[in-house]
Amino acid sequence: MRYMSALTAAFLLASAAVTDPALAGGPVTPGAVVDADWLAEHRGEVAVLDVRRDLESFAGGHIPKAAPVGWDAVRTTRTIDGVERQKVRLAAETFQRLMREAGVDANEPVVITSPGKAAGQITTQARLYWQFAYYGHDDVAILDGGNAAWRAAGHDLATGPAEVSAGDYTAGAPDDSVLATVAEVDAARTNAGVQLTDNRPMAYYLGLEQAGYVYAAGHIPSAVNVPFTLNVAEKGPATLRDAESLRAVYAYQGAPMDLAAIAYCNSGHVSALTWFVMSEVLGNDDAQLFDGSMHVWTQDESRPVTNPARR
């Protein structure tokens, strides 16, 4: 868990550096979340990745010197454990190539942004953050509220195409501690020490709606519903709600942070934001993301699904 305010972190680092010069080699990002003013002050020290669905819109306005990353390139269809799975994590060599094309260098600090106007855009930042975490790159943060917050703070946006030089980023060995397997999800159904959190809108949780690549409507038994939209403000830039409120809401919904937790949705996209909040903001070191989520779970029709709408 690396979340703290940029101001607090900067003070602590500056104070500690007086007595511990070794901190000079530590992370540049002060935590998993940075605000627009911190990024403006440290812009020359980090790579900024702007992840968005519509790459053509990048030229209309972006943080100066940011590199665009297409959302369609962040996930893929690939065979894992002998089964073809959609919308899942990139293989190490593919992720490495994508980050090199975006200009990221080995061990370079990274800040991830997006248009920042809605919860769905912030989820793309969290998903890319999770893939960095999975491949062992720790000096990474998301820009709270994305480009919308950058603009609201009075900072200018640049226009025109990106100018990106290839980087030499190297993907590390996978960190399986942030990834929940099908076996772990199955075991969590009957383990009181692990809480499954379904982060889709309630209509999907209740089985009233169903994504086309999910093969059964409803939710994994024992899962509680914590919609991903609860994590961010509804009006203005999509900034994260304060940690105290988030902790209370998660507990009220049945997912207190003293339990290990597995976040899932239809594919592992919007649930990446819930994983990010649980792990990086609320300090749950035992939070995992179920990559592939309901798509993967329902590929085997013998796996149980609870559907209150069709009892």
Side-chain angles (χ1 to χ4, degrees):
M1 193 274 286
R2 300 182 57 237
Y3 178 75
M4 64 178 74
S5 73
L7 181 61
T8 299
F11 173 77
L12 291 175
L13 286 173
S15 300
V18 173
T19 56
D20 188 0
L23 284 176
V28 170
T29 55
V33 182
V34 298
D35 61 25
D37 289 338
W38 183 92
L39 180 58
E41 182 178 351
H42 297 271
R43 178 64 195 85
E45 303 169 41
V46 300
V48 177
L49 302 182
D50 184 322
V51 59
R52 59 176 73 200
R53 295 176 183 275
D54 178 15
L55 280 180
E56 292 185 1
S57 66
F58 178 85
H62 55 267
I63 293 172
K65 298 183 180 179
V69 178
W71 173 240
D72 288 341
V74 173
R75 302 179 302 167
T76 193
T77 296
R78 55 186 285 233
T79 298
I80 299 175
D81 297 332
V83 181
E84 184 177 274
R85 297 175 175 176
Q86 300 177 36
K87 305 178 189 297
V88 294
R89 63 193 180 278
L90 302 179
E93 61 272 18
T94 307
F95 185 66
Q96 177 173 290
R97 182 170 63 250
L98 179 66
M99 291 302 97
R100 287 183 176 186
E101 290 172 352
V104 180
D105 287 324
N107 303 316
E108 184 176 20
V110 175
V111 173
I112 304 169
T113 188
S114 72
K117 296 179 181 180
Q121 294 175 341
I122 303 303
T123 61
T124 64
Q125 295 173 244
R127 174 67 193 203
L128 183 54
Y129 180 102
W130 179 82
Q131 290 205 136
F132 270 116
Y134 181 69
Y135 285 119
H137 195 74
D138 295 327
D139 201 354
V140 183
I142 69 168
L143 175 61
D144 197 14
N147 299 352
W150 172 269
R151 192 70 186 91
H155 304 297
D156 292 333
L157 294 173
T159 57
E163 297 181 6
V164 181
S165 299
D168 61 4
Y169 167 81
T170 301
D175 178 1
D176 290 330
S177 70
V178 301
L179 171 70
T181 64
V182 171
E184 288 171 323
V185 172
D186 193 32
R189 295 190 297 109
T190 55
N191 184 347
V194 183
Q195 183 57 62
L196 294 169
T197 69
D198 186 315
N199 311 130
R200 299 172 298 169
M202 185 177 289
Y204 287 86
Y205 175 79
L206 295 176
L208 296 169
E209 300 287 347
Q210 181 178 348
Y213 54 93
V214 172
Y215 308 112
H219 60 269
I220 300 172
S222 84
V224 297
N225 190 212
V226 186
F228 75 96
T229 51
L230 297 178
N231 292 302
V232 300
E234 289 187 6
K235 297 181 180 179
T239 52
L240 293 169
R241 298 188 189 277
D242 67 273
E244 183 178 358
S245 296
L246 289 168
R247 189 179 304 277
V249 167
Y250 274 66
Y252 186 82
Q253 291 296 101
M257 290 302 106
D258 59 349
L259 293 177
I262 296 174
Y264 78 87
C265 55
N266 285 321
S267 67
H269 168 194
V270 301
S271 54
L273 178 57
T274 299
W275 168 84
F276 179 87
V277 167
M278 292 193 297
S279 174
E280 309 299 84
V281 176
L282 300 181
N284 190 337
D285 293 332
D286 295 316
Q288 296 176 301
L289 178 69
F290 180 22
D291 190 27
S293 290
M294 285 297 288
H295 165 66
V296 168
W297 183 258
T298 59
Q299 283 182 317
D300 183 342
E301 62 182 15
S302 70
R303 296 183 188 125
V305 174
T306 299
N307 187 335
R310 300 177 185 174
R311 287 186 174 181

